[in-house]
Amino acid sequence: MIIQEIHSNWVFAEIDGTHTGKATVPGTIHTDLLANNFIEDPFYRVNEKEQQWIDKKDWEYTTIFTVSTEEFKKDNIVLEFKGLDTYASIYVNDKFLLNAHNMFREWEIDVKKLVKVGENKLKVVLHSPIKKGLELLENHYPLPAINDQSENGEMGNEKVSIFTRKAGYHYGWDWGPRLVTSGIWKPVLLKSWNQIKIKTVFIKQPKVTKSVAELVTEIELDITTNFSGQLRISNQETNEQYITETLKLENGVAKVSFPITIQNPKLWWTKALGEQNLYHFNVELLDEGNNQLASKDITTGLRSIKLIREKDEAGESFLFELNGVPVFIKGANYIPNDSFVTRVTTSDYEKVIKDAVDANMNMLRVWGGGIYEYDQFYELCDKNGLLVWQDFMFACSMYPGNKDFLENVKQEAIDNVIRLRNHPSIAIWCGNNEINTAWSHYSDGGWGWKEEYKEKQREEIQKAYLDIFHEILPTVVNKYTDGDDYWPSSPQAGFEPEKHAGYENPSGDMHYWGVWHGKHPFEDFEKYKARFMSEYGFQSFPDLETVKKYALPEDFNIESEVMSSHQRSGIGNLTIKEYMSWDYNVPTNFENFLYMSQVLQARGVRKAIEAHRSAMPYTMGTMYWQINDCWPVASWSSTDYYHKWKALHYAVKKAYEPVLLVTKEKEDTILVYGVSDLLEETKGELKLSLIDFDGNILKEISDEVLLIKNTSTKVFEIRKENFLAKVNSSKAVLKIELKKDEAVLSENLFYFEKPKDLQLEEPNFTTEIVEEDGEHFIYITSNKLVKNLYLNFKNQHIFLSDNYFDLLPNTTKKIKVTTTEVLDLKDLKLKHVQQVTNNIN
């Protein structure tokens, strides 16, 4: 097969308009308009508002591609579009070929009879998704689409996103702008071949254990001329020959399958549990003269991954079992890295995956309002030992149920399940995000949607829901995978559609938004626990250096137009301020407020993680919302749009360590839990030190403890009044450590009062930058306890191994600095809670 990517010499033109210029393919109309200086940066200040005209226009993309004599002589020539966004009409040499209507599908067109040797014209007309959506709305009553920012799109209440199979977040979300793109968002390929093509290869894994992997290689072939020859399957790395078979096949589509047995396989594990071993299979078709006619390479990992839902005393379990080992999931929800997905680079993907791994995560949830990610994302998850919870692309909306829409959804699901099923990282397929609980057809709950419809319409909407999420999608997963688990909606209290999730269900998964939307205090993370917590979170602002990239000094007020525009949760900025007032003295300085918002966010989410992990094995997963942003914004993210770590990400890194110590107050008792993800028991010395803010040790207790493997264990308790006798609880901190052979396995700090009630004094620091073996470190010491110390070299690209940490008095902290720039102590800026809340500059 000859494969030519058609990516050069594209031009775009506004139909019935004047905008025209050079185009980038893959790309979007917004990024092309930006590159040609027709629009300003959509993310800057409120430029987004001035660019809502773009999605209401039709656009034409054209190029010339060349067909060589060698290509032309092939029996088969097809054009393959890996992704079109979204309504597109395709023409070759001015001959109409296809109308595409789904961003998430792949499109293949036979052009053998249309192309000629030499130059050929390719034209793609991209129709306005807004105009197409309005046409569909005219033939259907409105449907709920809570995050469709139609008002920002100058469309009043006409919400059209649900009718179009396109990334929902493009129409706006409560963390993202409304920038409804059109474009050729994935490669365009011209493929030429003779006789036979390998369409798909699936490495089924019906049985994988430590001793044996029993596989089945299922191959789908497209045959245009009767084939007689050999099929060979081998391992590219080891040159091991698995299968050599003689085949005789007639014209048409054929499926063949062959068993492969691998003794003592090298299993694929998540990062903390083992190696990310990958097998590289090569499938070849050879003619009778031993000439290669077709080949395909597949890389996969051998593992068994199951969702275990078993009845127990509390209700029903919800846990993932990898290679027979129950795994506590530590992860985050993931959204697209940009509003314009075509400008997400390899380094962006590498950075977000590294950020997850460095924070001790073992799963990311690809959320249902974005995209089925590019192959590169899943390849990086495979290589780095990250499991993937994969949503289908449906979120927070109801959808039509007509025949055309349902067939479109079915083909979309088939395309993406086939594309992604060989990745060992895929742990589960989930039908949608939050629709079951929002619509809540079988109860009086929900988000108030169904009350807006008459009974006949309600039943129609519910039937469409059942058709998509309880018929089409599970059928596709069952047919095109080898037993992958499917979950209809997240959250849900059970598989059946009437199992609507709440905050006290002893089964299924939970999205707990009492904190934030419900104004519950952070302490309620301890109260509301789930078998699997798949969403929860709290917002913060990015730091000032990020804000400066989209705002001017006159915008530096959380209620300014620009700051409000870069906050899409209607209750957002003032909710941050309200929560802050509960736990901290609220600073009036803008930069300090940004910093304190991150401290607040880290405090809240860490409380949640500690509550979830210490509830193990009742709770077996925690995935906060969210790891990343699609533009610079105030949001729930732990890393901002530029992948800069917020205070939260540093807190998550510590809270997700394999061994975690958690201290709790219960009535008049202090309890300590030891949480272990390790697969063997851990003996060690537990040491509790009560320290005042000057560094004096007021009390010490040591005890030999045993942490049970892969669970949470209560390892210590003491009456509070005995432990704190004659101690001012507002001037003391409890340090807990677990040591084994002098090595510290885990340590944590526990305060008996809220931060605003602590009697914090102004510290004096000693700092030093030291080079050791070619690496740079900061050593920092304080004479007083310091809360949430933030170190920053302004306007320099650096990464610190730790930040926003509490510094104990008279204790030296060593921090690794990663940078290519020259460091100077005079450029180091320090910020901490007592400085900010006491208005010390």
Side-chain angles (χ1 to χ4, degrees), residues 122-222:
L122 174 59
K123 180 171 72 174
V124 179
V125 177
L126 296 164
H127 305 283
S128 161
I130 300 303
K131 290 194 291 190
K132 287 287 186 181
L134 287 171
E135 291 172 10
L136 294 166
L137 177 59
E138 286 179 7
N139 297 311
H140 199 290
Y141 46 82
L143 290 169
I146 193 171
N147 284 291
D148 185 326
Q149 297 170 8
S150 56
E151 293 83 0
N152 288 346
E154 301 172 354
M155 296 180 60
N157 198 38
E158 292 183 304
K159 301 181 185 298
V160 299
S161 56
I162 57 271
F163 299 105
T164 297
R165 294 307 302 142
K166 173 175 171 56
Y169 82 111
H170 284 163
Y171 296 83
W173 218 265
D174 58 3
W175 37 257
R178 182 184 176 92
L179 293 164
V180 186
T181 58
S182 292
I184 304 170
W185 76 288
K186 286 189 175 182
V188 181
L189 306 176
L190 186 71
K191 294 184 173 182
S192 310
W193 74 93
N194 286 329
Q195 194 172 7
I196 192 166
K197 177 179 75 169
I198 301 172
K199 291 186 69 176
T200 64
V201 175
F202 182 25
I203 308 298
K204 291 186 171 182
Q205 304 185 30
K207 181 181 178 182
V208 175
T209 67
K210 292 180 181 179
S211 58
V212 66
E214 295 179 2
L215 313 177
V216 176
T217 305
E218 184 178 275
I219 305 162
E220 185 177 6
L221 304 168
D222 188 353

Side-chain angles (χ1 to χ4, degrees), residues 213-244:
E214 295 179 2
L215 313 177
V216 176
T217 305
E218 184 178 275
I219 305 162
E220 185 177 6
L221 304 168
D222 188 353
I223 308 156
T224 53
T225 307
N226 291 353
F227 171 77
S228 180
Q230 279 195 338
L231 181 141
R232 189 161 63 202
I233 305 174
S234 59
N235 187 313
Q236 288 180 293
E237 287 196 333
T238 64
N239 293 320
E240 182 179 359
Q241 299 291 322
Y242 294 127
I243 298 292
T244 302

Side-chain angles (χ1 to χ4, degrees), residues 634-781:
S635 82
W636 294 267
S637 69
S638 60
T639 66
D640 72 18
Y641 172 69
Y642 302 101
H643 304 293
K644 186 172 186 177
W645 285 27
K646 296 182 181 179
L648 173 57
H649 211 77
Y650 285 100
V652 166
K653 177 183 178 182
K654 295 170 186 174
Y656 279 171
E657 287 178 346
V659 177
L660 176 69
L661 294 172
V662 179
T663 303
K664 302 182 182 186
E665 284 187 78
K666 189 174 182 181
E667 297 174 350
D668 62 347
T669 304
I670 299 169
L671 306 171
V672 179
Y673 290 82
V675 184
S676 175
D677 295 334
L678 305 178
L679 301 184
E680 66 271 342
E681 294 181 343
T682 304
K683 292 181 179 179
E685 178 191 11
L686 179 69
K687 184 177 179 181
L688 285 72
S689 303
L690 190 61
I691 305 169
D692 71 17
F693 292 173
D694 292 318
N696 300 307
I697 298 176
L698 307 177
K699 190 170 292 189
E700 281 189 328
I701 299 175
S702 294
D703 195 11
E704 293 295 321
V705 298
L706 175 68
L707 267 61
I708 307 301
K709 64 179 181 179
N710 209 17
T711 194
S712 172
T713 308
K714 185 175 71 174
V715 293
F716 188 82
E717 66 176 286
I718 190 171
R719 287 181 63 83
K720 182 178 177 181
E721 63 180 8
N722 295 337
F723 192 64
L724 287 179
K726 298 181 181 179
V727 172
N728 183 344
S729 60
S730 65
K731 297 184 69 174
V733 60
L734 176 62
K735 179 183 179 183
I736 51 176
E737 296 176 283
L738 181 65
K739 290 185 175 181
K740 183 177 182 180
D741 302 327
E742 296 304 313
V744 177
L745 299 181
S746 180
E747 63 180 7
N748 208 342
L749 299 177
F750 179 79
Y751 296 88
F752 301 94
E753 308 293 343
K754 289 189 173 185
K756 71 177 181 180
D757 297 323
L758 298 175
Q759 296 182 33
L760 300 170
E761 298 181 26
E762 184 179 355
N764 293 316
F765 294 101
T766 302
T767 55
E768 185 180 11
I769 296 176
V770 176
E771 183 176 347
E772 298 174 5
D773 299 323
E775 296 182 327
H776 290 87
F777 298 89
I778 297 173
Y779 286 83
I780 187 163
T781 309

Side-chain angles (χ1 to χ4, degrees), residues 444-606:
D444 293 331
W447 296 357
W449 291 356
K450 61 181 180 287
E451 289 77 9
E452 300 295 319
Y453 297 88
K454 296 179 180 178
E455 187 170 345
K456 180 176 182 294
Q457 290 178 332
R458 284 194 201 184
E459 294 302 324
E460 289 174 350
I461 295 169
Q462 176 66 9
K463 183 180 186 303
Y465 178 88
L466 294 176
D467 285 345
I468 296 170
F469 303 111
H470 285 268
E471 292 293 334
I472 292 172
L473 297 183
T475 299
V476 168
V477 171
N478 182 61
K479 181 177 180 180
Y480 292 96
T481 73
D482 56 349
D484 286 7
D485 284 297
Y486 172 82
W487 189 241
S489 181
S490 181
Q492 201 156 305
F495 192 90
E496 297 76 17
E498 65 269 19
K499 299 287 189 179
H500 304 307
Y503 287 168
E504 296 181 351
N505 297 116
S507 58
D509 68 323
M510 182 190 295
H511 292 188
Y512 173 58
W513 286 107
V515 169
W516 187 260
H517 291 295
K519 299 289 183 74
H520 294 189
F522 289 158
E523 288 72 22
D524 278 7
F525 281 124
E526 188 68 41
K527 179 179 178 181
Y528 297 103
K529 296 175 186 174
R531 307 312 297 264
F532 192 99
M533 191 68 81
S534 45
E535 265 195 39
Y536 60 92
F538 193 84
Q539 276 201 1
S540 73
F541 291 90
D543 71 9
L544 184 62
E545 289 167 40
T546 292
V547 171
K548 285 178 179 178
K549 290 180 168 64
Y550 66 82
L552 294 172
E554 56 261 39
D555 306 320
F556 291 176
N557 181 307
I558 64 168
E559 297 184 64
S560 72
E561 181 185 16
V562 170
M563 295 303 294
S564 296
S565 179
H566 287 253
Q567 164 62 274
R568 292 308 166 95
S569 177
I571 63 171
N573 293 349
L574 294 180
T575 296
I576 294 173
K577 187 175 183 179
E578 180 178 354
Y579 268 88
M580 194 182 297
S581 70
W582 299 348
D583 285 359
Y584 297 91
N585 296 317
V586 179
T588 56
N589 174 276
F590 180 73
E591 181 177 1
N592 290 344
F593 188 90
L594 302 182
Y595 154 82
M596 190 58 74
S597 76
Q598 293 196 25
V599 170
L600 176 71
Q601 179 192 37
R603 172 177 166 80
V605 175
R606 176 147 189 172

Side-chain angles (χ1 to χ4, degrees), residues 331-355:
N333 288 263
Y334 167 93
I335 65 172
N337 284 298
D338 203 300
S339 294
F340 309 117
V341 294
T342 58
R343 65 182 187 186
V344 179
T345 64
T346 295
S347 62
D348 288 324
Y349 281 118
E350 291 173 342
K351 182 64 166 65
V352 75
I353 297 302
K354 187 177 188 302
D355 288 344

